[in-house]
Amino acid sequence: MNFEKYIVNRVDPKQNLEGLLRFPKYVEIETVNACNARCPMCTINDWKRNYPVMKDDVFNKISDELIENKNFLERVSLYRDGEPLIDKKITMRINKFKESGIDSTSIATNVALLTEEKSYDLLNSGLGMIIMSIDSLKKKVFEKIRVRLKFEEVLQNAIKFFELRNKINPNCRVWVRMIRQEENYNEWEEYFNFWKKYTSEQDRIYFHNIFNWGGQLKNYKPVSGSFEPNLPCISLWSLMVFFANGDVPLCNVDYNNKYPVGNIFKNSIKELWNSKISNLRRKYHLEMQKDKISICKNCNVWDEGGEELISNDFAEKVSLKNL
């Protein structure tokens, strides 16, 4: 397996590398760059962007082009670094996609603001998927990780959402996610069995090992080894991120836009996706020169735990080759 086959197999086995460059399959729109929590595995204390809320003209510019190219899309996520439920217009924005024939919208939330009323509104808006970030079933551990949040409220909100989902919008998928780290490392089996009682076949319960945000997370303590730094990053062939002012960064870990691609008001999504700088960065990754981009050198954000997402044999061969 070569790098090109690796990328295609991981992003979309039905495509080739050229096909992946027609339009991004996955899009993340950060309508709010603010959060109600202060988690140690987050970089919020290092955020330097001063445009917390996406204005309607920015959202409409992005969403209109996405709707025009909806046949290329796999998922449209209305979140990035912030807590999406802070956005007072989130349900209207989801509904715009739904009414335009895009069912695959998603949000990721820390669940604290997922009240019964908000759950009802989200489900009726046509939300396609929700990722609930809940890192422990133990109050002390949970509140140590999810600083400023109350365990009982989060648990109640999550369980109520399942109940409402089953009644209002059974097609809405629920992913329950643990960010596995030192504090909760041994909880996985108990965690999985607890949430299994509420999920259906279309849902997912999983963990993602704590990652280093491209070497930007202070006091990062890994809980497992990773081959990911030795492989080309799949996000360059699959994902485009939009910040609240319309800026497009290198990827989903470039939270301060240190490596800009451009802005939606200066270029179309297709132009940004195939820009000179984007293709140069892809070239670096394919030619094992990703260390020319410092944020890419040791990044392990795509190294998920609990699943065989990459060929371990292939990754190990690459790793040994680089020694």
Side-chain angles (χ1 to χ4, degrees), residues 21-24 61-62 65 236 239-242 246-249 260-279 281-282:
L21 296 181
R22 289 183 295 174
F23 200 81
K61 183 73 167 62
I62 298 167
E65 187 175 347
L236 296 178
L239 173 67
M240 180 169 282
V241 175
F242 292 95
D247 280 346
V248 176
V261 173
N263 185 282
I264 190 61
F265 285 106
K266 295 181 179 179
N267 296 98
S268 69
I269 295 175
K270 284 186 177 181
E271 289 170 341
L272 292 165
W273 188 238
N274 279 286
S275 65
K276 183 177 180 180
I277 188 63
S278 294
N279 286 325
R281 290 163 177 168
R282 293 181 180 116

PDB file of all heavy atoms in Angstrom, residues 21-24 61-62 65 236 239-242 246-249 260-279 281-282:
ATOM      1  N   LEU A  21     -10.175  15.680  -4.751  1.00  0.00           N
ATOM      2  CA  LEU A  21      -9.830  17.094  -4.883  1.00  0.00           C
ATOM      3  C   LEU A  21     -10.917  17.917  -5.578  1.00  0.00           C
ATOM      4  O   LEU A  21     -10.755  19.124  -5.765  1.00  0.00           O
ATOM      5  CB  LEU A  21      -8.508  17.250  -5.642  1.00  0.00           C
ATOM      6  CG  LEU A  21      -7.276  16.664  -4.944  1.00  0.00           C
ATOM      7  CD1 LEU A  21      -6.036  16.905  -5.774  1.00  0.00           C
ATOM      8  CD2 LEU A  21      -7.106  17.268  -3.546  1.00  0.00           C
ATOM      9  N   ARG A  22     -12.028  17.279  -5.940  1.00  0.00           N
ATOM     10  CA  ARG A  22     -13.093  18.038  -6.596  1.00  0.00           C
ATOM     11  C   ARG A  22     -13.791  18.980  -5.625  1.00  0.00           C
ATOM     12  O   ARG A  22     -14.141  20.107  -5.979  1.00  0.00           O
ATOM     13  CB  ARG A  22     -14.112  17.075  -7.211  1.00  0.00           C
ATOM     14  CG  ARG A  22     -13.590  16.319  -8.424  1.00  0.00           C
ATOM     15  CD  ARG A  22     -14.655  15.443  -9.032  1.00  0.00           C
ATOM     16  NE  ARG A  22     -15.060  14.386  -8.116  1.00  0.00           N
ATOM     17  CZ  ARG A  22     -16.065  13.543  -8.345  1.00  0.00           C
ATOM     18  NH1 ARG A  22     -16.781  13.646  -9.456  1.00  0.00           N
ATOM     19  NH2 ARG A  22     -16.362  12.602  -7.468  1.00  0.00           N
ATOM     20  N   PHE A  23     -13.981  18.519  -4.383  1.00  0.00           N
ATOM     21  CA  PHE A  23     -14.688  19.322  -3.387  1.00  0.00           C
ATOM     22  C   PHE A  23     -14.517  18.618  -2.046  1.00  0.00           C
ATOM     23  O   PHE A  23     -14.460  17.389  -1.994  1.00  0.00           O
ATOM     24  CB  PHE A  23     -16.184  19.414  -3.746  1.00  0.00           C
ATOM     25  CG  PHE A  23     -16.910  20.562  -3.108  1.00  0.00           C
ATOM     26  CD1 PHE A  23     -16.829  21.834  -3.655  1.00  0.00           C
ATOM     27  CD2 PHE A  23     -17.692  20.380  -1.971  1.00  0.00           C
ATOM     28  CE1 PHE A  23     -17.506  22.901  -3.089  1.00  0.00           C
ATOM     29  CE2 PHE A  23     -18.370  21.444  -1.383  1.00  0.00           C
ATOM     30  CZ  PHE A  23     -18.284  22.703  -1.953  1.00  0.00           C
ATOM     31  N   PRO A  24     -14.426  19.360  -0.937  1.00  0.00           N
ATOM     32  CA  PRO A  24     -14.289  18.684   0.363  1.00  0.00           C
ATOM     33  C   PRO A  24     -15.513  17.846   0.707  1.00  0.00           C
ATOM     34  O   PRO A  24     -16.648  18.270   0.504  1.00  0.00           O
ATOM     35  CB  PRO A  24     -14.105  19.850   1.349  1.00  0.00           C
ATOM     36  CG  PRO A  24     -14.654  21.047   0.647  1.00  0.00           C
ATOM     37  CD  PRO A  24     -14.402  20.824  -0.812  1.00  0.00           C
ATOM     38  N   LYS A  61     -22.915  32.911   2.829  1.00  0.00           N
ATOM     39  CA  LYS A  61     -21.935  32.749   1.741  1.00  0.00           C
ATOM     40  C   LYS A  61     -21.413  31.304   1.709  1.00  0.00           C
ATOM     41  O   LYS A  61     -21.295  30.701   0.637  1.00  0.00           O
ATOM     42  CB  LYS A  61     -20.768  33.715   1.955  1.00  0.00           C
ATOM     43  CG  LYS A  61     -19.721  33.701   0.844  1.00  0.00           C
ATOM     44  CD  LYS A  61     -20.233  34.379  -0.415  1.00  0.00           C
ATOM     45  CE  LYS A  61     -19.122  34.662  -1.417  1.00  0.00           C
ATOM     46  NZ  LYS A  61     -18.442  33.452  -1.903  1.00  0.00           N
ATOM     47  N   ILE A  62     -21.100  30.766   2.874  1.00  0.00           N
ATOM     48  CA  ILE A  62     -20.592  29.398   2.961  1.00  0.00           C
ATOM     49  C   ILE A  62     -21.691  28.389   2.632  1.00  0.00           C
ATOM     50  O   ILE A  62     -21.515  27.496   1.792  1.00  0.00           O
ATOM     51  CB  ILE A  62     -20.031  29.116   4.367  1.00  0.00           C
ATOM     52  CG1 ILE A  62     -18.848  30.037   4.663  1.00  0.00           C
ATOM     53  CG2 ILE A  62     -19.629  27.650   4.508  1.00  0.00           C
ATOM     54  CD1 ILE A  62     -18.435  30.057   6.121  1.00  0.00           C
ATOM     55  N   GLU A  65     -22.928  28.003  -1.098  1.00  0.00           N
ATOM     56  CA  GLU A  65     -22.061  27.241  -2.004  1.00  0.00           C
ATOM     57  C   GLU A  65     -22.080  25.759  -1.649  1.00  0.00           C
ATOM     58  O   GLU A  65     -22.009  24.901  -2.538  1.00  0.00           O
ATOM     59  CB  GLU A  65     -20.636  27.774  -1.978  1.00  0.00           C
ATOM     60  CG  GLU A  65     -19.772  27.102  -3.039  1.00  0.00           C
ATOM     61  CD  GLU A  65     -18.364  27.676  -3.160  1.00  0.00           C
ATOM     62  OE1 GLU A  65     -18.110  28.764  -2.598  1.00  0.00           O
ATOM     63  OE2 GLU A  65     -17.531  27.024  -3.814  1.00  0.00           O
ATOM     64  N   LEU A 236      -6.204  16.857   4.743  1.00  0.00           N
ATOM     65  CA  LEU A 236      -5.859  17.655   3.569  1.00  0.00           C
ATOM     66  C   LEU A 236      -6.619  17.204   2.326  1.00  0.00           C
ATOM     67  O   LEU A 236      -6.721  17.940   1.349  1.00  0.00           O
ATOM     68  CB  LEU A 236      -4.359  17.588   3.309  1.00  0.00           C
ATOM     69  CG  LEU A 236      -3.458  18.180   4.398  1.00  0.00           C
ATOM     70  CD1 LEU A 236      -2.000  18.001   4.025  1.00  0.00           C
ATOM     71  CD2 LEU A 236      -3.772  19.646   4.621  1.00  0.00           C
ATOM     72  N   LEU A 239     -11.248  17.459   4.523  1.00  0.00           N
ATOM     73  CA  LEU A 239     -11.899  18.402   5.426  1.00  0.00           C
ATOM     74  C   LEU A 239     -11.541  19.856   5.137  1.00  0.00           C
ATOM     75  O   LEU A 239     -10.373  20.185   4.927  1.00  0.00           O
ATOM     76  CB  LEU A 239     -11.493  18.076   6.875  1.00  0.00           C
ATOM     77  CG  LEU A 239     -11.932  19.054   7.967  1.00  0.00           C
ATOM     78  CD1 LEU A 239     -13.454  19.029   8.131  1.00  0.00           C
ATOM     79  CD2 LEU A 239     -11.250  18.719   9.289  1.00  0.00           C
ATOM     80  N   MET A 240     -12.565  20.714   5.172  1.00  0.00           N
ATOM     81  CA  MET A 240     -12.339  22.157   5.136  1.00  0.00           C
ATOM     82  C   MET A 240     -13.024  22.792   6.343  1.00  0.00           C
ATOM     83  O   MET A 240     -14.173  22.465   6.665  1.00  0.00           O
ATOM     84  CB  MET A 240     -12.863  22.791   3.842  1.00  0.00           C
ATOM     85  CG  MET A 240     -12.644  24.311   3.787  1.00  0.00           C
ATOM     86  SD  MET A 240     -12.962  25.042   2.150  1.00  0.00           S
ATOM     87  CE  MET A 240     -11.457  24.580   1.292  1.00  0.00           C
ATOM     88  N   VAL A 241     -12.303  23.690   6.993  1.00  0.00           N
ATOM     89  CA  VAL A 241     -12.798  24.370   8.198  1.00  0.00           C
ATOM     90  C   VAL A 241     -13.028  25.843   7.895  1.00  0.00           C
ATOM     91  O   VAL A 241     -12.207  26.485   7.229  1.00  0.00           O
ATOM     92  CB  VAL A 241     -11.776  24.227   9.353  1.00  0.00           C
ATOM     93  CG1 VAL A 241     -12.221  25.040  10.567  1.00  0.00           C
ATOM     94  CG2 VAL A 241     -11.594  22.757   9.721  1.00  0.00           C
ATOM     95  N   PHE A 242     -14.143  26.373   8.404  1.00  0.00           N
ATOM     96  CA  PHE A 242     -14.431  27.799   8.282  1.00  0.00           C
ATOM     97  C   PHE A 242     -14.558  28.403   9.676  1.00  0.00           C
ATOM     98  O   PHE A 242     -15.335  27.922  10.495  1.00  0.00           O
ATOM     99  CB  PHE A 242     -15.745  28.030   7.519  1.00  0.00           C
ATOM    100  CG  PHE A 242     -15.682  27.648   6.075  1.00  0.00           C
ATOM    101  CD1 PHE A 242     -16.095  26.400   5.669  1.00  0.00           C
ATOM    102  CD2 PHE A 242     -15.194  28.540   5.126  1.00  0.00           C
ATOM    103  CE1 PHE A 242     -16.035  26.029   4.332  1.00  0.00           C
ATOM    104  CE2 PHE A 242     -15.127  28.180   3.786  1.00  0.00           C
ATOM    105  CZ  PHE A 242     -15.552  26.924   3.387  1.00  0.00           C
ATOM    106  N   GLY A 246     -15.070  33.773   8.261  1.00  0.00           N
ATOM    107  CA  GLY A 246     -14.918  33.266   6.909  1.00  0.00           C
ATOM    108  C   GLY A 246     -13.524  32.807   6.556  1.00  0.00           C
ATOM    109  O   GLY A 246     -13.286  32.330   5.444  1.00  0.00           O
ATOM    110  N   ASP A 247     -12.573  32.922   7.474  1.00  0.00           N
ATOM    111  CA  ASP A 247     -11.222  32.444   7.234  1.00  0.00           C
ATOM    112  C   ASP A 247     -11.196  30.921   7.149  1.00  0.00           C
ATOM    113  O   ASP A 247     -11.944  30.224   7.857  1.00  0.00           O
ATOM    114  CB  ASP A 247     -10.275  32.878   8.356  1.00  0.00           C
ATOM    115  CG  ASP A 247      -9.800  34.318   8.199  1.00  0.00           C
ATOM    116  OD1 ASP A 247      -9.985  34.876   7.100  1.00  0.00           O
ATOM    117  OD2 ASP A 247      -9.251  34.871   9.172  1.00  0.00           O
ATOM    118  N   VAL A 248     -10.305  30.417   6.323  1.00  0.00           N
ATOM    119  CA  VAL A 248     -10.095  28.976   6.186  1.00  0.00           C
ATOM    120  C   VAL A 248      -8.667  28.660   6.621  1.00  0.00           C
ATOM    121  O   VAL A 248      -7.714  29.100   5.983  1.00  0.00           O
ATOM    122  CB  VAL A 248     -10.315  28.510   4.735  1.00  0.00           C
ATOM    123  CG1 VAL A 248      -9.989  27.033   4.584  1.00  0.00           C
ATOM    124  CG2 VAL A 248     -11.750  28.794   4.304  1.00  0.00           C
ATOM    125  N   PRO A 249      -8.478  27.910   7.711  1.00  0.00           N
ATOM    126  CA  PRO A 249      -7.139  27.555   8.177  1.00  0.00           C
ATOM    127  C   PRO A 249      -6.635  26.289   7.495  1.00  0.00           C
ATOM    128  O   PRO A 249      -7.345  25.654   6.707  1.00  0.00           O
ATOM    129  CB  PRO A 249      -7.371  27.299   9.670  1.00  0.00           C
ATOM    130  CG  PRO A 249      -8.759  26.707   9.703  1.00  0.00           C
ATOM    131  CD  PRO A 249      -9.530  27.399   8.613  1.00  0.00           C
ATOM    132  N   PRO A 260      -2.866  30.004   7.132  1.00  0.00           N
ATOM    133  CA  PRO A 260      -4.112  30.300   6.421  1.00  0.00           C
ATOM    134  C   PRO A 260      -4.138  29.768   4.998  1.00  0.00           C
ATOM    135  O   PRO A 260      -3.098  29.684   4.327  1.00  0.00           O
ATOM    136  CB  PRO A 260      -4.160  31.830   6.432  1.00  0.00           C
ATOM    137  CG  PRO A 260      -2.737  32.261   6.571  1.00  0.00           C
ATOM    138  CD  PRO A 260      -2.081  31.222   7.422  1.00  0.00           C
ATOM    139  N   VAL A 261      -5.334  29.420   4.568  1.00  0.00           N
ATOM    140  CA  VAL A 261      -5.581  29.037   3.175  1.00  0.00           C
ATOM    141  C   VAL A 261      -6.197  30.204   2.425  1.00  0.00           C
ATOM    142  O   VAL A 261      -5.853  30.484   1.284  1.00  0.00           O
ATOM    143  CB  VAL A 261      -6.516  27.808   3.101  1.00  0.00           C
ATOM    144  CG1 VAL A 261      -6.906  27.516   1.647  1.00  0.00           C
ATOM    145  CG2 VAL A 261      -5.857  26.584   3.738  1.00  0.00           C
ATOM    146  N   GLY A 262      -7.103  30.933   3.097  1.00  0.00           N
ATOM    147  CA  GLY A 262      -7.763  32.069   2.466  1.00  0.00           C
ATOM    148  C   GLY A 262      -9.039  32.431   3.194  1.00  0.00           C
ATOM    149  O   GLY A 262      -9.225  32.083   4.363  1.00  0.00           O
ATOM    150  N   ASN A 263      -9.925  33.124   2.485  1.00  0.00           N
ATOM    151  CA  ASN A 263     -11.179  33.574   3.081  1.00  0.00           C
ATOM    152  C   ASN A 263     -12.301  33.396   2.055  1.00  0.00           C
ATOM    153  O   ASN A 263     -12.104  33.608   0.861  1.00  0.00           O
ATOM    154  CB  ASN A 263     -11.080  35.037   3.516  1.00  0.00           C
ATOM    155  CG  ASN A 263     -12.316  35.513   4.256  1.00  0.00           C
ATOM    156  OD1 ASN A 263     -13.354  35.822   3.652  1.00  0.00           O
ATOM    157  ND2 ASN A 263     -12.230  35.584   5.575  1.00  0.00           N
ATOM    158  N   ILE A 264     -13.475  33.013   2.537  1.00  0.00           N
ATOM    159  CA  ILE A 264     -14.597  32.703   1.666  1.00  0.00           C
ATOM    160  C   ILE A 264     -15.069  33.908   0.853  1.00  0.00           C
ATOM    161  O   ILE A 264     -15.675  33.761  -0.205  1.00  0.00           O
ATOM    162  CB  ILE A 264     -15.773  32.113   2.488  1.00  0.00           C
ATOM    163  CG1 ILE A 264     -16.874  31.548   1.569  1.00  0.00           C
ATOM    164  CG2 ILE A 264     -16.337  33.138   3.444  1.00  0.00           C
ATOM    165  CD1 ILE A 264     -16.418  30.427   0.681  1.00  0.00           C
ATOM    166  N   PHE A 265     -14.767  35.116   1.305  1.00  0.00           N
ATOM    167  CA  PHE A 265     -15.180  36.304   0.555  1.00  0.00           C
ATOM    168  C   PHE A 265     -14.211  36.664  -0.566  1.00  0.00           C
ATOM    169  O   PHE A 265     -14.491  37.530  -1.389  1.00  0.00           O
ATOM    170  CB  PHE A 265     -15.368  37.491   1.496  1.00  0.00           C
ATOM    171  CG  PHE A 265     -16.629  37.405   2.312  1.00  0.00           C
ATOM    172  CD1 PHE A 265     -16.574  37.097   3.664  1.00  0.00           C
ATOM    173  CD2 PHE A 265     -17.861  37.611   1.732  1.00  0.00           C
ATOM    174  CE1 PHE A 265     -17.732  36.997   4.428  1.00  0.00           C
ATOM    175  CE2 PHE A 265     -19.033  37.517   2.478  1.00  0.00           C
ATOM    176  CZ  PHE A 265     -18.963  37.211   3.821  1.00  0.00           C
ATOM    177  N   LYS A 266     -13.065  36.000  -0.591  1.00  0.00           N
ATOM    178  CA  LYS A 266     -12.085  36.254  -1.642  1.00  0.00           C
ATOM    179  C   LYS A 266     -12.038  35.140  -2.675  1.00  0.00           C
ATOM    180  O   LYS A 266     -11.641  35.365  -3.825  1.00  0.00           O
ATOM    181  CB  LYS A 266     -10.699  36.461  -1.024  1.00  0.00           C
ATOM    182  CG  LYS A 266     -10.608  37.695  -0.145  1.00  0.00           C
ATOM    183  CD  LYS A 266      -9.210  37.877   0.423  1.00  0.00           C
ATOM    184  CE  LYS A 266      -9.121  39.130   1.284  1.00  0.00           C
ATOM    185  NZ  LYS A 266      -7.758  39.309   1.864  1.00  0.00           N
ATOM    186  N   ASN A 267     -12.401  33.937  -2.265  1.00  0.00           N
ATOM    187  CA  ASN A 267     -12.381  32.794  -3.178  1.00  0.00           C
ATOM    188  C   ASN A 267     -13.534  31.851  -2.866  1.00  0.00           C
ATOM    189  O   ASN A 267     -14.021  31.801  -1.729  1.00  0.00           O
ATOM    190  CB  ASN A 267     -11.072  32.020  -3.061  1.00  0.00           C
ATOM    191  CG  ASN A 267      -9.868  32.831  -3.477  1.00  0.00           C
ATOM    192  OD1 ASN A 267      -9.170  33.391  -2.625  1.00  0.00           O
ATOM    193  ND2 ASN A 267      -9.617  32.903  -4.767  1.00  0.00           N
ATOM    194  N   SER A 268     -13.930  31.082  -3.856  1.00  0.00           N
ATOM    195  CA  SER A 268     -14.967  30.076  -3.641  1.00  0.00           C
ATOM    196  C   SER A 268     -14.380  28.890  -2.884  1.00  0.00           C
ATOM    197  O   SER A 268     -13.159  28.752  -2.752  1.00  0.00           O
ATOM    198  CB  SER A 268     -15.528  29.598  -4.980  1.00  0.00           C
ATOM    199  OG  SER A 268     -14.546  28.847  -5.685  1.00  0.00           O
ATOM    200  N   ILE A 269     -15.258  28.018  -2.399  1.00  0.00           N
ATOM    201  CA  ILE A 269     -14.794  26.813  -1.707  1.00  0.00           C
ATOM    202  C   ILE A 269     -13.958  25.951  -2.652  1.00  0.00           C
ATOM    203  O   ILE A 269     -12.893  25.443  -2.272  1.00  0.00           O
ATOM    204  CB  ILE A 269     -15.990  26.015  -1.153  1.00  0.00           C
ATOM    205  CG1 ILE A 269     -16.703  26.829  -0.060  1.00  0.00           C
ATOM    206  CG2 ILE A 269     -15.534  24.666  -0.592  1.00  0.00           C
ATOM    207  CD1 ILE A 269     -17.958  26.190   0.475  1.00  0.00           C
ATOM    208  N   LYS A 270     -14.411  25.796  -3.883  1.00  0.00           N
ATOM    209  CA  LYS A 270     -13.650  25.001  -4.856  1.00  0.00           C
ATOM    210  C   LYS A 270     -12.265  25.586  -5.092  1.00  0.00           C
ATOM    211  O   LYS A 270     -11.273  24.851  -5.192  1.00  0.00           O
ATOM    212  CB  LYS A 270     -14.421  24.927  -6.175  1.00  0.00           C
ATOM    213  CG  LYS A 270     -15.609  23.976  -6.151  1.00  0.00           C
ATOM    214  CD  LYS A 270     -16.228  23.847  -7.532  1.00  0.00           C
ATOM    215  CE  LYS A 270     -17.362  22.832  -7.530  1.00  0.00           C
ATOM    216  NZ  LYS A 270     -17.965  22.670  -8.874  1.00  0.00           N
ATOM    217  N   GLU A 271     -12.186  26.910  -5.182  1.00  0.00           N
ATOM    218  CA  GLU A 271     -10.881  27.552  -5.404  1.00  0.00           C
ATOM    219  C   GLU A 271      -9.967  27.378  -4.192  1.00  0.00           C
ATOM    220  O   GLU A 271      -8.763  27.126  -4.338  1.00  0.00           O
ATOM    221  CB  GLU A 271     -11.084  29.037  -5.703  1.00  0.00           C
ATOM    222  CG  GLU A 271     -11.707  29.309  -7.073  1.00  0.00           C
ATOM    223  CD  GLU A 271     -12.128  30.744  -7.267  1.00  0.00           C
ATOM    224  OE1 GLU A 271     -12.286  31.482  -6.252  1.00  0.00           O
ATOM    225  OE2 GLU A 271     -12.313  31.147  -8.429  1.00  0.00           O
ATOM    226  N   LEU A 272     -10.516  27.508  -3.003  1.00  0.00           N
ATOM    227  CA  LEU A 272      -9.730  27.322  -1.790  1.00  0.00           C
ATOM    228  C   LEU A 272      -9.249  25.883  -1.658  1.00  0.00           C
ATOM    229  O   LEU A 272      -8.112  25.625  -1.255  1.00  0.00           O
ATOM    230  CB  LEU A 272     -10.564  27.712  -0.566  1.00  0.00           C
ATOM    231  CG  LEU A 272     -10.905  29.202  -0.427  1.00  0.00           C
ATOM    232  CD1 LEU A 272     -12.018  29.405   0.590  1.00  0.00           C
ATOM    233  CD2 LEU A 272      -9.673  30.007  -0.038  1.00  0.00           C
ATOM    234  N   TRP A 273     -10.117  24.948  -2.020  1.00  0.00           N
ATOM    235  CA  TRP A 273      -9.799  23.531  -1.897  1.00  0.00           C
ATOM    236  C   TRP A 273      -8.658  23.139  -2.830  1.00  0.00           C
ATOM    237  O   TRP A 273      -7.844  22.266  -2.511  1.00  0.00           O
ATOM    238  CB  TRP A 273     -11.047  22.715  -2.190  1.00  0.00           C
ATOM    239  CG  TRP A 273     -10.960  21.251  -1.922  1.00  0.00           C
ATOM    240  CD1 TRP A 273     -11.162  20.236  -2.814  1.00  0.00           C
ATOM    241  CD2 TRP A 273     -10.687  20.603  -0.659  1.00  0.00           C
ATOM    242  NE1 TRP A 273     -11.024  19.010  -2.201  1.00  0.00           N
ATOM    243  CE2 TRP A 273     -10.731  19.216  -0.887  1.00  0.00           C
ATOM    244  CE3 TRP A 273     -10.392  21.083   0.624  1.00  0.00           C
ATOM    245  CZ2 TRP A 273     -10.503  18.285   0.143  1.00  0.00           C
ATOM    246  CZ3 TRP A 273     -10.162  20.158   1.644  1.00  0.00           C
ATOM    247  CH2 TRP A 273     -10.215  18.784   1.392  1.00  0.00           C
ATOM    248  N   ASN A 274      -8.592  23.789  -3.977  1.00  0.00           N
ATOM    249  CA  ASN A 274      -7.547  23.487  -4.960  1.00  0.00           C
ATOM    250  C   ASN A 274      -6.552  24.630  -5.128  1.00  0.00           C
ATOM    251  O   ASN A 274      -5.932  24.772  -6.184  1.00  0.00           O
ATOM    252  CB  ASN A 274      -8.189  23.155  -6.311  1.00  0.00           C
ATOM    253  CG  ASN A 274      -8.679  21.724  -6.364  1.00  0.00           C
ATOM    254  OD1 ASN A 274      -7.892  20.804  -6.473  1.00  0.00           O
ATOM    255  ND2 ASN A 274      -9.984  21.549  -6.268  1.00  0.00           N
ATOM    256  N   SER A 275      -6.385  25.403  -4.092  1.00  0.00           N
ATOM    257  CA  SER A 275      -5.456  26.534  -4.164  1.00  0.00           C
ATOM    258  C   SER A 275      -4.010  26.049  -4.230  1.00  0.00           C
ATOM    259  O   SER A 275      -3.689  24.901  -3.900  1.00  0.00           O
ATOM    260  CB  SER A 275      -5.630  27.430  -2.942  1.00  0.00           C
ATOM    261  OG  SER A 275      -5.253  26.737  -1.764  1.00  0.00           O
ATOM    262  N   LYS A 276      -3.145  26.939  -4.635  1.00  0.00           N
ATOM    263  CA  LYS A 276      -1.719  26.611  -4.767  1.00  0.00           C
ATOM    264  C   LYS A 276      -1.143  26.175  -3.421  1.00  0.00           C
ATOM    265  O   LYS A 276      -0.391  25.190  -3.346  1.00  0.00           O
ATOM    266  CB  LYS A 276      -0.962  27.830  -5.296  1.00  0.00           C
ATOM    267  CG  LYS A 276       0.522  27.579  -5.545  1.00  0.00           C
ATOM    268  CD  LYS A 276       1.186  28.816  -6.151  1.00  0.00           C
ATOM    269  CE  LYS A 276       2.670  28.574  -6.394  1.00  0.00           C
ATOM    270  NZ  LYS A 276       3.325  29.773  -6.993  1.00  0.00           N
ATOM    271  N   ILE A 277      -1.492  26.887  -2.351  1.00  0.00           N
ATOM    272  CA  ILE A 277      -0.944  26.560  -1.039  1.00  0.00           C
ATOM    273  C   ILE A 277      -1.479  25.224  -0.533  1.00  0.00           C
ATOM    274  O   ILE A 277      -0.749  24.432   0.073  1.00  0.00           O
ATOM    275  CB  ILE A 277      -1.216  27.702  -0.015  1.00  0.00           C
ATOM    276  CG1 ILE A 277      -0.474  27.436   1.299  1.00  0.00           C
ATOM    277  CG2 ILE A 277      -2.705  27.877   0.246  1.00  0.00           C
ATOM    278  CD1 ILE A 277       1.029  27.423   1.171  1.00  0.00           C
ATOM    279  N   SER A 278      -2.757  24.936  -0.793  1.00  0.00           N
ATOM    280  CA  SER A 278      -3.344  23.665  -0.354  1.00  0.00           C
ATOM    281  C   SER A 278      -2.661  22.496  -1.048  1.00  0.00           C
ATOM    282  O   SER A 278      -2.331  21.477  -0.412  1.00  0.00           O
ATOM    283  CB  SER A 278      -4.847  23.636  -0.634  1.00  0.00           C
ATOM    284  OG  SER A 278      -5.521  24.594   0.148  1.00  0.00           O
ATOM    285  N   ASN A 279      -2.436  22.618  -2.342  1.00  0.00           N
ATOM    286  CA  ASN A 279      -1.805  21.531  -3.090  1.00  0.00           C
ATOM    287  C   ASN A 279      -0.325  21.366  -2.739  1.00  0.00           C
ATOM    288  O   ASN A 279       0.204  20.250  -2.750  1.00  0.00           O
ATOM    289  CB  ASN A 279      -1.986  21.752  -4.587  1.00  0.00           C
ATOM    290  CG  ASN A 279      -3.410  21.471  -5.036  1.00  0.00           C
ATOM    291  OD1 ASN A 279      -4.063  20.564  -4.511  1.00  0.00           O
ATOM    292  ND2 ASN A 279      -3.898  22.232  -6.000  1.00  0.00           N
ATOM    293  N   ARG A 281       0.891  21.854   0.256  1.00  0.00           N
ATOM    294  CA  ARG A 281       0.888  21.144   1.535  1.00  0.00           C
ATOM    295  C   ARG A 281       0.583  19.665   1.342  1.00  0.00           C
ATOM    296  O   ARG A 281       1.162  18.801   2.022  1.00  0.00           O
ATOM    297  CB  ARG A 281      -0.113  21.810   2.482  1.00  0.00           C
ATOM    298  CG  ARG A 281       0.346  23.188   2.948  1.00  0.00           C
ATOM    299  CD  ARG A 281      -0.782  24.010   3.531  1.00  0.00           C
ATOM    300  NE  ARG A 281      -0.280  25.294   4.038  1.00  0.00           N
ATOM    301  CZ  ARG A 281      -1.066  26.315   4.399  1.00  0.00           C
ATOM    302  NH1 ARG A 281      -2.390  26.197   4.309  1.00  0.00           N
ATOM    303  NH2 ARG A 281      -0.538  27.432   4.839  1.00  0.00           N
ATOM    304  N   ARG A 282      -0.296  19.353   0.424  1.00  0.00           N
ATOM    305  CA  ARG A 282      -0.560  17.944   0.110  1.00  0.00           C
ATOM    306  C   ARG A 282       0.699  17.270  -0.433  1.00  0.00           C
ATOM    307  O   ARG A 282       1.003  16.118  -0.103  1.00  0.00           O
ATOM    308  CB  ARG A 282      -1.710  17.845  -0.895  1.00  0.00           C
ATOM    309  CG  ARG A 282      -3.060  18.286  -0.344  1.00  0.00           C
ATOM    310  CD  ARG A 282      -4.167  18.148  -1.385  1.00  0.00           C
ATOM    311  NE  ARG A 282      -5.442  18.586  -0.835  1.00  0.00           N
ATOM    312  CZ  ARG A 282      -6.133  19.641  -1.288  1.00  0.00           C
ATOM    313  NH1 ARG A 282      -5.668  20.359  -2.313  1.00  0.00           N
ATOM    314  NH2 ARG A 282      -7.275  19.982  -0.725  1.00  0.00           N
TER     315      ARG A 282
END
